[in-house]
Amino acid sequence: MGGLIGQVLLKLGLVSEKDLLEALSEQLDVPVVSAEEYPEEPVRLNGLSSDFLASNNVVLLKNAGGVLVCSAAMPHSDYIRKGLELATGLSVELRLGAESDIQAALEKALASDTAEAEDEVAQDIDGGAFIEHLKDLASEAPVIRAVNKIIHQALDYGASDIHLEPFDDGLHLRYRVDGVIEQYEAPASALAAAIVSRIKILAQMDIAERRLPQDGRIMTRVKGREIDLRVSSIPTVHGEGLVLRVLDRQSINLSLSKMGFSADTLKRYTQLLHKPHGVLLLTGPTGSGKTTTLYASLASLDADKLKIITVEDPVEYQLHGINQIQVQSQIDLSFARSLRSILRQDPDIIMIGEMRDTETAQIAVQSALTGHLVLSTLHTNTAAGAITRLEDMGVERYLVTAAVNGVLAQRLLRRLCSHCKTEVEVEAGVARDTGLERWLGDGAAQIFNANGCEACKYTGYSGRTAIHELFVLDSDVQKAIQSGAGVSELHELACRKGMHTLYEDGLRKVAAGETSLEELLRITQDQDGDDGV
């Protein structure tokens, strides 16, 4: 493990901190500092760097008649003693302090410095000296450790997002793991402002501006892995809230065969993907894996023989052999403006990160009609809903039927933990009412439920898989669209022609033991119709 023998024994839980302090006090012949002896207000001396104190675990207790009394985790260190004497010109008496007490005192002093700096910045927001002071506070060792711990924990838990939220009772830390957000132990509230400043500095954001939302990006290496953090700040009544989207390039799996597709859906989707022209849309709410499926779709194509250009906001993963454009609103490089230029680049395939406005949708449809394959995403609940969404965006129905090849709706379900999932028997009535009996094998009445173990951190789930609903615009569907059919009619027509709904695709995964019925109902509760929900 490395480190001093006492610290190692303490980490292993073989000795208590009290027993360790007593043994060290006797061995070094140095008195122990109790928690009550630490000063209420931090002791400050000119010429003595707070960085030196924090990095060496030293707290100033008092200046008693020219003798500087300090608490230190290593009071026998000549380096610490000589450094303090040179910086202050005083005689130094080092006493033994518990590392936990010393850290608490250092964090308290840092919080006091942060509060002073914030008051100064509030008085003079453009004051360069105050901004530099904030930067210094964000570079203190306890703050750096706290931020690093937050990021490391996110990787350990497999989190997709980190939420730092200030409230009246302090800073709250929440992680979104497998699509579910949960609260975890937050760092000390005294460090909240300094932690926010530290993250904003790393993301190259303006730490003096706390009244407006900001966006930034952190590229870092954690545990040998390249991590991309997309940072978003927003002002709240109790301070700045931060959300960090975690993009782990090594964890992304850009293979369509591993996206959770059922065999029949994958076959039909691949056929649409290899059409020479037309629009292929992916729909679903934020965080349903649409962009990952788009990337996997592009990765399955031969980029060496095709000219593929993407317009994204932001470019989440860089793909080999594919030209990717980052939207930049500050210089008016929008989706629509990029698309107009792309058409002069002789592309075969165009991927639009998201259809957000009428102009983008119309250019995409026109691109498909002039011989290009266009891939994009929309925010709709069902695949059939994409048709009316395009109509709402100003695309005429006759253009929709002429340009759109198909729509793939997608959701993400949590996978059951393979170590602890438990087999349960389904009652005949439940199987019939939910529609599950159609997908269970002959005589089978067993599915699996979540249980919880150490491997899945007692959630019962580990990782996610996708369910899909592929809406193909064949001649019958095109006639229904042109005749003015609504979403429900289109949905029913597609089901009669063999489309499996999101719920039905999920039932297949429940019957296969990949997920639980409760998880499927949680994800598809916004779906209506004859699918049993």
Side-chain angles (χ1 to χ4, degrees), residues 393-418:
M393 294 173 74
V395 180
E396 298 292 341
R397 285 203 168 210
Y398 72 89
L399 290 176
V400 171
T401 58
V404 179
N405 295 333
V407 184
L408 181 76
Q410 178 171 305
R411 298 287 190 281
L412 293 179
L413 295 174
R414 290 183 294 172
R415 285 181 182 273
L416 286 167
C417 174
S418 59

Side-chain angles (χ1 to χ4, degrees), residues 15 85 134 177 217 259 270 382 392 424 434 457 527 531:
V15 299
E85 288 175 348
L134 266 182
V177 181
R217 180 178 180 180
M259 289 283 122
T270 305
T382 63
D392 293 341
V424 294
T434 59
K457 297 181 174 60
Q527 305 298 309
D531 49 18

Side-chain angles (χ1 to χ4, degrees), residues 43 49 120 170 175 186 258 261 304 313 366 369 379 429 503 505:
V43 176
S49 166
E120 292 171 341
Y175 293 112
K258 297 181 180 177
F261 279 94
D304 293 331
D313 184 22
Q366 291 165 9
L369 294 174
H379 289 286
Y503 181 72
D505 196 33

Side-chain angles (χ1 to χ4, degrees), residues 225-347:
R225 293 152 67 178
E226 289 288 343
I227 302 298
D228 187 357
L229 300 170
R230 301 295 167 84
V231 185
S232 173
S233 73
I234 193 166
T236 71
V237 292
H238 296 293
E240 276 188 291
L242 293 179
V243 175
L244 290 76
R245 168 64 61 88
V246 183
L247 301 174
D248 183 357
R249 296 183 178 183
Q250 291 184 8
S251 69
I252 191 72
N253 192 337
L254 298 179
S255 171
L256 278 178
S257 62
K258 297 181 180 177
M259 289 283 122
F261 279 94
S262 300
D264 55 344
T265 306
L266 178 59
K267 181 180 178 181
R268 288 187 295 150
Y269 179 74
T270 305
Q271 289 172 350
L272 294 177
L273 190 60
H274 286 88
K275 285 198 171 187
H277 54 80
V279 177
L280 181 54
L281 294 172
L282 272 72
T283 72
T286 302
S288 60
K290 300 186 301 295
T291 303
T292 303
T293 301
L294 275 181
Y295 278 131
S297 301
L298 293 177
S300 70
L301 300 171
D302 189 348
D304 293 331
K305 295 183 179 179
L306 295 168
K307 175 79 169 183
I308 304 174
I309 305 179
T310 74
V311 189
E312 305 169 61
D313 184 22
V315 175
E316 294 190 2
Y317 299 100
Q318 296 177 15
L319 303 176
H320 176 71
I322 294 176
N323 302 277
Q324 295 173 269
I325 300 172
Q326 167 76 54
V327 169
Q328 298 186 59
S329 56
Q330 65 270 24
I331 58 172
D332 197 29
L333 181 60
S334 62
F335 280 107
R337 186 171 182 178
S338 300
L339 276 174
R340 285 194 293 269
S341 300
I342 281 175
L343 294 175
R344 296 192 289 271
Q345 292 284 314
D346 186 30

Side-chain angles (χ1 to χ4, degrees), residues 38-39 42 58-59 99-111:
Y38 288 88
V58 177
V59 175
E99 200 162 343
S100 57
D101 292 338
I102 291 173
Q103 284 298 317
L106 289 172
E107 290 177 4
K108 186 176 180 181
L110 180 60

